[in-house]
């Protein structure tokens, strides 16, 4: 069986790829020209060059494959040219699914996101079935992922596409080379760039557990069904306190009201448009932070056999990897590595 995977050079995709190899699968990775390939260098895989916006390259990539893991996505909470994120996340997903269907791929796992799901009231963990619509999506990333998942579900219903949907929460762990927004929390905290925090919450899942959930969905998932792959629900304050225990760094004690940061977010986005650079503080990220993004993985546990380790273990692995790969200031890096 030849398995095609997209997003293999990325954080979550590289974790899925390693598990596939550990199970003895023959893996073909779709890699964009010019991609940072550090996460897959030295691995025994077949690489094919292509792009989700290039239909011909997708048809060539899926040829002869029995399985597909579509993990790739444009994961930016702010983007100066929004069309790009829809081209990749929506049209690219539709193009790939169509190519896979025409090629007779027997089984597909599509990586969606909990960003497309509703949120529970008063911070109660949400599940896969909370009513939500496109109008509830904040920002282009969430809207693009919502539309992409809807496209997959429609193709399952209308065309018999054999696709199972997984909705990861916030993965954390090794090989977060970019890093992701969640990884940045760790890097910024250890480097002393978080003097304060906002009152929000996240569900953290170890990236390797999330990857294992993809393989479980492949084996046991039902086409058209979605499965939340998450771990532990923690407030941002508790995440920072956990990082403090791991690293010996003091956690910030000042909580800033969300509204006080909004003018700075508008200013940061304005500068980003002028300079063409990505900004960390965004209007939409602050809007999303108004609610605690807590989720339940009970369905995945029940139907797939999914489980996850503690957030502290995931954060410890992330800190260790970032330290070993030079993401922290030298004195901090040395202190963490000596623990």
């Amino acid at each position: 069986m030849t398995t095609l995977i997209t997003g293999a050079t990325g954080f979550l995709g590289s974790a899925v790829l390693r598990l596939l190899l550990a199970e003895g699968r023959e893996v073909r990775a779709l890699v964009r020209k010019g991609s940072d390939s550090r996460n897959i260098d030295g691995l025994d895989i077949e690489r094919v060059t292509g792009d989700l916006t290039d239909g011909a390259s997708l048809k060539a990539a899926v040829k002869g494959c029995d399985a597909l893991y579509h993990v790739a996505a444009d994961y930016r909470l702010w983007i100066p040219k929004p069309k790009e994120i829809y081209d990749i996340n929506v049209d690219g997903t539709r193009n790939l699914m169509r190519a896979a269907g025409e090629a007779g791929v027997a089984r597909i796992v599509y990586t969606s996101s909990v960003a497309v799901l509703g949120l529970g009231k008063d911070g109660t963990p949400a599940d896969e079935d909370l009513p939500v619509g496109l109008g509830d999506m904040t920002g282009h990333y969430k809207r693009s992922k919502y539309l992409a998942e809807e496209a997959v579900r429609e193709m399952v219903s209308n065309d018999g596409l054999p696709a199972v949907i997984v909705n990861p929460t916030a993965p954390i762990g090794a090989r977060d080379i970019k890093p992701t927004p969640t990884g940045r929390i760790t890097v910024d905290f250890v480097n002393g760039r978080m003097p304060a925090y906002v009152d929000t919450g996240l569900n953290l899942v170890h990236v390797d557990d999330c990857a294992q959930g993809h393989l479980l969905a492949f084996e046991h998932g039902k086409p058209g069904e979605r499965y939340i792959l998450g771990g532990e629900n923690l407030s941002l304050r508790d995440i920072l306190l956990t990082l403090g225990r791991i690293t010996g760094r003091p956690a910030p004690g000042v909580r800033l009201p969300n509204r006080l940061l909004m003018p700075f977010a508008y200013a940061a986005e304005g500068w980003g448009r002028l300079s063409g650079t990505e900004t960390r503080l965004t209007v939409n990220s602050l809007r999303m932070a108004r609610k605690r993004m807590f989720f339940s993985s009970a369905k995945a546990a029940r139907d797939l056999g999914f489980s996850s380790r503690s957030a502290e273990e995931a954060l410890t692995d992330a800190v260790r990897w970032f330290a070993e790969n030079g993401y922290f200031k030298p004195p901090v890096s040395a202190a963490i590595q000596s623990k």
Side-chain angles (χ1 to χ4, degrees):
M1 175 185 290
T2 298
T3 300
L4 176 67
I5 181 171
T6 70
T9 60
F11 178 38
L12 177 56
S14 65
V16 174
L17 170 61
R18 281 171 166 75
L19 286 181
L20 290 171
L21 291 176
E23 290 201 349
R25 310 279 183 92
E26 293 184 6
V27 180
R28 178 184 299 166
L30 180 69
V31 180
R32 286 184 300 118
K33 184 178 180 180
S35 291
D36 184 342
S37 64
R38 284 178 290 169
N39 275 343
I40 62 173
D41 287 343
L43 298 180
D44 184 18
I45 61 173
E46 177 190 357
R47 298 193 199 189
V48 293
T49 302
D51 193 288
L52 291 173
T53 62
D54 180 358
S57 72
L58 299 180
K59 289 181 180 181
V62 298
K63 186 177 181 180
C65 291
D66 300 299
L68 166 64
Y69 288 79
H70 179 30
V71 190
D74 189 334
Y75 184 18
R76 287 181 286 178
L77 299 183
W78 182 83
I79 183 170
K81 297 179 180 179
K83 183 178 182 298
E84 295 177 359
I85 205 166
Y86 293 96
D87 288 345
I88 294 172
N89 290 350
V90 185
D91 295 339
T93 294
R94 189 179 288 111
N95 293 339
L96 179 61
M97 294 299 141
R98 186 177 295 117
E102 292 173 354
V105 174
R107 189 77 165 167
I108 300 168
V109 174
Y110 166 62
T111 307
S112 183
S113 169
V114 291
V116 309
L117 305 178
L119 293 174
K121 295 181 179 180
D122 303 321
T124 55
D127 63 17
E128 293 86 350
D129 298 323
L130 264 180
V132 68
L134 182 60
D136 299 306
M137 299 295 105
T138 301
H140 294 296
Y141 171 71
K142 294 186 72 169
R143 283 196 285 272
S144 70
K145 291 296 287 185
Y146 180 91
L147 291 170
E149 184 180 300
E150 285 297 295
V152 172
R153 290 159 72 93
E154 181 179 336
M155 294 175 78
V156 171
S157 178
N158 295 342
D159 306 322
L161 186 76
V164 180
I165 300 164
V166 293
N167 301 77
T169 58
I172 195 80
R175 295 182 298 277
D176 191 359
I177 59 176
K178 192 173 181 179
T180 61
T182 314
R184 284 181 191 158
I185 293 174
T186 301
V187 173
D188 287 347
F189 171 84
V190 177
N191 284 335
R193 297 199 203 106
M194 293 192 70
Y197 65 97
V198 295
D199 184 17
T200 190
L202 298 170
N203 181 292
L204 299 185
V205 61
H206 196 293
V207 68
D208 292 337
D209 296 335
C210 190
Q212 184 64 52
H214 281 65
L215 272 64
L216 290 170
F218 182 91
E219 294 295 333
H220 306 296
K222 181 180 177 181
E225 289 289 319
R226 52 160 63 134
Y227 303 90
I228 294 172
L229 303 180
E232 190 173 351
N233 293 307
L234 291 173
S235 69
L236 179 56
R237 172 64 173 165
D238 285 338
I239 292 172
L240 298 178
L241 287 170
T242 302
L243 285 170
R245 289 196 300 271
I246 295 168
T247 65
R249 299 280 293 182
V254 178
R255 180 172 66 86
L256 291 178
N258 191 294
R259 66 181 184 278
L260 293 183
L261 293 173
M262 196 61 76
F264 296 99
Y266 277 108
E269 289 189 7
W271 171 248
R273 291 188 187 94
L274 289 173
S275 63
T277 58
E278 187 176 358
T279 176
R280 297 187 182 188
L281 182 64
T282 71
V283 173
N284 285 328
S285 65
L286 288 177
R287 286 173 177 164
M288 287 187 280
R290 290 171 180 165
K291 294 185 178 181
R292 297 197 170 195
M293 292 163 276
F294 289 168
F295 297 93
S296 168
S297 298
K299 179 180 178 180
R302 181 186 67 244
D303 295 354
L304 307 180
F306 174 75
S307 63
S308 59
R309 67 199 85 178
S310 70
E312 183 159 355
E313 188 171 348
L315 288 165
T316 299
D317 286 349
V319 167
R320 183 179 298 114
W321 188 87
F322 284 130
E324 291 171 349
N325 288 274
Y327 284 77
F328 302 145
K329 296 175 183 177
V332 178
S333 176
I336 291 173
Q337 289 181 355
S338 67
K339 284 184 176 293

